Amino acid sequence: MGRRWRDGRGELVVHGGDGEPSLRVPLEIAGSYRARTKGLLGRDSIDGAILLSPANSVHTFRMRMPIDVAYLDRRLRVIAVRTMRPGMLGMPRLRARHVVEAEAGAMGEWGVRDGTRVEVVGPVE
């Protein structure tokens, strides 16, 4: 069975090309069905990012802002990064087990792209 996180706060650690941690980002963790369902709905901004786990797709219906979406595999390696404007339905990613959402443009600033390894530091079940 894969990782399971509890709802709460933590950090997203982005690893650079050399495998060393290069950046730490504030992270909200949505591990329960209720928290995943709510996600970023109704918000105008987010400080950092939110992890939805387990998840392999997202939508932006009723969202107020465009977002960056990073799909992660079970080893927390980025499979794909997409920018989605409000009112879109993202296609499910077959290998994705977790999704990280942030304000549009944030993933590029953090150096998160296909193949990047991340780490989640936060409450675990």
Side-chain angles (χ1 to χ4, degrees):
M1 183 159 181
R3 294 179 177 101
R4 292 197 48 96
W5 288 278
R6 292 189 327 250
D7 295 347
R9 298 210 170 265
E11 285 185 322
L12 180 72
V13 181
V14 180
H15 292 270
D18 57 2
E20 293 296 315
S22 60
L23 181 68
R24 291 179 174 269
V25 177
L27 183 69
E28 291 179 37
I29 300 170
S32 69
Y33 176 78
R34 182 177 178 153
R36 288 192 314 271
T37 301
K38 184 170 190 248
L40 295 177
L41 295 177
R43 297 193 203 183
D44 292 321
S45 66
I46 181 172
D47 178 31
I50 184 170
L51 170 75
L52 308 175
S53 179
N56 68 356
S57 68
V58 296
H59 69 82
T60 57
F61 300 121
R62 297 184 2 227
M63 284 207 182
R64 298 178 180 173
M65 63 183 172
I67 61 171
D68 281 349
V69 179
Y71 298 89
L72 310 177
D73 67 12
R74 62 187 171 92
R75 293 191 172 114
L76 302 181
R77 189 164 300 276
V78 177
I79 297 170
V81 177
R82 299 290 179 261
T83 300
M84 296 175 65
R85 65 183 189 278
M88 296 189 69
L89 177 63
M91 296 299 294
R93 305 288 168 171
L94 295 178
R95 293 186 359 243
R97 298 295 178 264
H98 319 281
V99 172
V100 176
E101 297 178 344
E103 288 189 30
M107 299 285 180
E109 290 175 17
W110 300 336
V112 175
R113 59 185 148 290
D114 295 6
T116 301
R117 192 172 67 81
V118 299
E119 181 182 346
V120 174
V121 178
V124 178
E125 283 187 354

